């Protein structure tokens, strides 16, 4: 198993402003860790929560039933042990004793039951992760059994993410202010919604040593230049940086970790049925799009050579990945034009794309590569200058037939749930493929080698049907201040909060 989420880092330009100083090595006694996020926070209601980088806002407040280690494997946390029955459809968890929410309510089996059923009732990606839960039984105060409609290899990893976060039961109906049992609590007086979120230590937290900072501040800084300026000026202690800015950041003495979290970027085709752009309903047209991109050249120009070319949405190490598929669509613009002609579009067709470079300056080189590659095979591109804070909603509303996108998720199964089912969040036009749906159903009910085989069959079908035109397995770069260390985790776009610590002197 691998490991967070659908992600597209695009929003309006922001200017970095200091509302808290960075934490560094805690030498000044302030003991504050200040981080930057490239996406806004989502509602505190976990039934409406997503799995992407916005989960960073939840981590200080809401603890998870299990904790995923660096390789994405579940380890004890609020649940100290667990076991399945012989049918693999009943998972029994033993809970840690003495844990309370910040409103004084005990974290017990009934609180876990209420949380899981509440989160499952939603429609966002956190809910989708645990949709297979058919019931939750309270065995005793510290023992809970989760019932599944069928065996699921994805349940335990899900319980180490947003789906397994626990909120105070009394706050579930009115989650205006988060109530959790995590290492911190939200300081509403020092929080500006949509801009800056401040968290102060929860004095009753059971695992204080895992979180050495007394205060955590998360700032929403969508603009990559603003994040770098904030890093270099000491306003923040950690944040994502564009790959082409890594030398600059390192030159100023900051630490930069480069890693592959499993995100897949490229051209995502939302309109596979041709509802908005009839051409995209033709298989040969979608295949033509896959032959249009010189992936190695894009990586060199836009990513300083970091990343790995790919043809599939599953990354190496994830369920479903199949190295044999990687040569399915080599760069061949002549073949792309030939396929377009065979599909009845010898002169190409017109399509409107969101202009991500104009919206946020987050992906100017990727947007340029996408636009030019399409033009090279005869496709007429119109760029729509949509406000950055509306791009998410515009794509999800089905406004665009296709666009540049970056999909990340903790596991291969998570990616299936996020993009490949009829009701997936990132299937905005609700494309339905009966063969894919049948395979997905069978994967969900299978275990062991049978599951592996079915996963690869699904992947092969998606690649051969050209659902998308992936470019590469993305490399991320995360910078931290001189006095801070952070360790990336498999499947996560950002290091988890528990991985931050003062650097050794």
């Amino acid at each position: 198993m691998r490991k967070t989420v659908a992600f597209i880092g695009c929003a309006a330009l922001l200017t970095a402003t200091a509302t808290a100083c960075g934490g560094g090595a805690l030498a000044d006694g302030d003991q504050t860790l200040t981080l930057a996020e490239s996406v806004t926070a989502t509602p505190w209601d976990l039934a409406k929560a997503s799995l992407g980088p916005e989960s960073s806002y939840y981590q200080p407040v809401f603890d998870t039933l299990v904790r995923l280690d660096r390789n994405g494997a579940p380890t004890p946390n609020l649940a100290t042990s667990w076991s399945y029955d012989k049918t693999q459809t009943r998972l029994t968890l033993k809970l840690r004793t003495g844990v309370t929410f910040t409103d004084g309510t005990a974290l017990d089996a009934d609180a876990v039951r209420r949380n899981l059923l509440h989160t499952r009732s939603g429609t966002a990606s956190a809910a989708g992760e645990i949709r297979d839960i058919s019931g939750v039984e309270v065995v005793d105060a510290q023992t809970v059994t989760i019932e599944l409609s069928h065996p699921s290899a994805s349940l335990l990893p899900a319980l180490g993410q947003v789906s397994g976060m626990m909120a105070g039961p009394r706050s579930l109906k009115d989650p205006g202010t988060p109530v959790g049992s995590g290492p911190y609590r939200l300081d509403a007086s020092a929080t500006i919604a949509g801009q800056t979120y401040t968290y102060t230590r929860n004095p009753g937290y059971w695992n204080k040593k895992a979180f050495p900072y007394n205060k955590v501040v998360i700032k929403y800084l969508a603009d990559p230049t603003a994040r770098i300026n904030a890093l270099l000026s000491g306003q923040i202690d950690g944040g994502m940086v564009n790959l082409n800015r890594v030398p600059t950041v390192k030159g100023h003495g900051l630490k930069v970790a480069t890693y592959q979290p499993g995100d897949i970027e490229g051209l995502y085709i939302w309109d596979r049925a041709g509802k908005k752009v009839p051409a995209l309903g033709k298989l040969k047209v979608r295949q033509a799009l896959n032959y249009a991109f010189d992936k190695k050249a894009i990586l060199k120009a836009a990513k300083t050579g970091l990343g790995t070319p790919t043809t599939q949405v599953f990354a190496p190490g994830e369920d479903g990945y199949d190295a044999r598929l990687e040569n399915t669509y080599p760069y061949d613009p002549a073949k792309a034009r030939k396929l377009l002609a065979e599909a009845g579009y010898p002169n190409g067709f017109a399509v409107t794309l969101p202009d991500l470079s104009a919206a946020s300056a987050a992906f100017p080189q990727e947007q340029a590569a996408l636009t030019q590659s399409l033009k090279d095979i005869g496709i007429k591109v119109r760029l729509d200058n949509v406000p950055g804070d509306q791009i998410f909603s515009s794509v999800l509303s089905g406004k665009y037939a296709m666009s540049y996108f970056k999909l990340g998720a903790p596991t291969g199964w998570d990616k299936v749930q996020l993009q490949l089912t009829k009701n997936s969040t990132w299937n905005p036009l609700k494309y339905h493929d009966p063969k894919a749906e049948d395979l997905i159903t069978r994967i969900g009910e299978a275990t062991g080698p049978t599951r592996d085989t079915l996963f690869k069959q699904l992947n092969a079908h998606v690649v051969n049907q050209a659902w998308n035109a992936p470019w590469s397995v993305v490399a991320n770069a995360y910078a931290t201040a001189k006095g801070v260390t952070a360790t990336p985790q498999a499947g996560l776009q950002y290091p988890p909060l528990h991985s931050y610590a003062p650097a050794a002197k």
Side-chain angles (χ1 to χ4, degrees):
M1 276 288 181
R2 282 181 63 88
K3 340 91 351 202
T4 89
V5 272
F7 167 69
I8 183 168
C10 44
L13 290 174
L14 298 179
T15 301
T17 56
T19 59
C21 295
L26 312 185
D28 61 359
D30 181 43
Q31 298 186 352
T32 298
L33 176 70
T34 304
L35 307 174
E37 268 293 350
S38 62
V39 299
T40 56
T42 50
W44 295 114
D45 186 350
L46 294 174
K48 301 177 181 178
S50 299
L51 299 181
E54 54 265 51
S55 66
S56 297
Y57 296 98
Y58 296 149
Q59 290 181 36
V61 176
F62 301 122
D63 217 354
T64 52
L65 287 171
V66 303
R67 175 170 292 172
L68 303 183
D69 66 15
R70 288 185 60 184
N71 297 315
T75 63
N77 199 45
L78 291 177
T80 57
S81 63
W82 49 84
S83 61
Y84 276 103
D85 70 348
K86 291 182 179 180
T87 68
Q88 297 289 297
T89 60
R90 289 174 59 86
L91 175 67
T92 298
L93 305 173
K94 290 289 185 179
L95 303 178
R96 189 174 301 278
T97 59
V99 177
T100 59
F101 294 98
T102 53
D103 66 356
T105 305
L107 187 145
D108 57 15
D110 187 61
V112 172
R113 179 189 68 83
R114 293 175 62 181
N115 267 274
L116 291 175
L117 294 179
H118 175 75
T119 299
R120 189 199 62 175
S121 71
T123 58
S125 53
E129 291 288 291
I130 55 175
R131 192 72 69 208
D132 295 333
I133 293 178
S134 58
V136 183
E137 175 188 348
V138 173
V139 179
D140 57 45
Q142 302 307 129
T143 310
V144 61
T145 295
I146 301 172
E147 300 172 355
L148 294 166
S149 57
H150 52 75
S152 173
S154 302
L155 178 60
L156 272 171
L159 298 182
Q161 303 167 63
V162 179
S163 307
M165 287 182 174
M166 296 289 108
R170 289 185 294 194
S171 71
L172 295 178
K173 291 184 178 180
D174 183 19
T177 300
V179 176
S181 64
Y184 301 93
R185 62 176 75 194
L186 182 72
D187 182 353
S189 66
T191 293
I192 303 173
Q195 298 182 33
T196 302
Y197 296 77
T198 301
Y199 307 84
T200 55
R201 186 179 289 284
N202 174 9
Y205 187 61
W206 63 274
N207 194 15
K208 180 179 178 180
K209 290 183 179 180
F211 300 89
Y213 297 94
N214 285 341
K215 183 188 293 184
V216 174
V217 177
I218 300 178
K219 297 182 178 183
Y220 169 47
L221 296 176
D223 176 33
T225 300
R227 288 199 300 274
I228 289 174
N229 290 339
L231 280 163
L232 298 182
S233 65
Q235 295 178 36
I236 61 174
D237 297 310
M240 292 287 296
V241 297
N242 286 3
L243 294 173
N244 60 0
R245 301 300 298 275
V246 168
T248 299
V249 175
K250 283 186 175 180
H252 284 77
L254 275 69
K255 299 184 293 293
V256 181
T258 56
Y259 54 99
Q260 290 188 357
D263 298 5
I264 306 297
E265 73 171 344
L267 175 66
Y268 280 72
I269 304 169
W270 313 119
D271 188 21
R272 304 180 199 111
K275 294 178 180 179
K276 298 180 69 67
V277 178
L280 295 175
K282 304 279 189 178
L283 174 59
K284 288 187 176 181
V285 169
R286 300 196 304 272
Q287 290 175 332
L289 296 176
N290 275 266
Y291 285 109
F293 300 103
D294 188 341
K295 300 168 186 177
K296 292 182 180 179
I298 293 173
L299 281 174
K300 183 177 180 180
K303 308 291 183 180
T304 66
L306 296 173
T308 305
T310 191
T311 63
Q312 50 197 303
V313 296
F314 301 112
E318 291 178 345
D319 291 330
Y321 176 79
D322 191 341
R324 295 171 297 180
L325 296 172
E326 292 294 16
N327 295 319
T328 305
Y329 299 109
Y331 175 53
D332 192 340
K335 185 167 186 175
R337 290 190 290 270
K338 182 174 182 292
L339 285 169
L340 286 174
E342 291 175 356
Y345 297 91
N347 300 314
F349 57 92
V351 65
T352 298
L353 307 178
D355 187 358
L356 303 186
S357 62
S360 66
F363 301 110
Q365 292 164 310
E366 292 88 343
Q367 184 71 70
L370 173 61
T371 303
Q372 188 59 53
S373 298
L374 294 177
K375 288 182 177 179
D376 287 346
I377 63 171
I379 296 176
K380 305 168 186 66
V381 176
R382 175 185 174 273
L383 295 179
D384 186 15
N385 187 3
V386 60
D389 61 357
Q390 296 178 23
I391 290 182
F392 260 127
S393 57
S394 295
V395 173
L396 287 173
S397 71
K399 180 178 180 179
Y400 301 106
M402 59 187 193
S403 71
Y404 169 83
F405 191 69
K406 185 162 57 174
L407 177 71
T411 68
W413 181 248
D414 297 330
K415 285 182 176 176
V416 170
Q417 296 301 309
L418 285 168
Q419 221 249 331
L420 302 185
T421 74
K422 181 180 180 181
N423 295 316
S424 291
T425 300
W426 292 105
N427 181 12
L429 291 170
K430 304 307 174 189
Y431 178 70
H432 175 60
D433 181 320
K435 181 175 180 178
E437 292 288 344
D438 176 65
L439 286 167
I440 291 168
T441 298
R442 292 163 62 193
I443 291 168
E445 297 173 351
T447 58
T450 300
R451 185 175 187 270
D452 295 339
T453 298
L454 291 170
F455 234 125
K456 286 184 169 60
Q457 290 177 8
L458 173 65
N459 191 15
H461 178 70
V462 168
V463 171
N464 292 330
Q465 289 293 307
W467 280 30
N468 301 301
W471 299 348
S472 65
V473 184
V474 175
N476 277 1
Y478 193 86
T480 51
K482 296 178 183 179
V484 176
T485 63
T487 305
Q489 180 175 307
L492 297 181
Q493 296 166 353
Y494 297 77
L497 184 59
H498 63 77
S499 76
Y500 291 87
K505 294 183 178 180

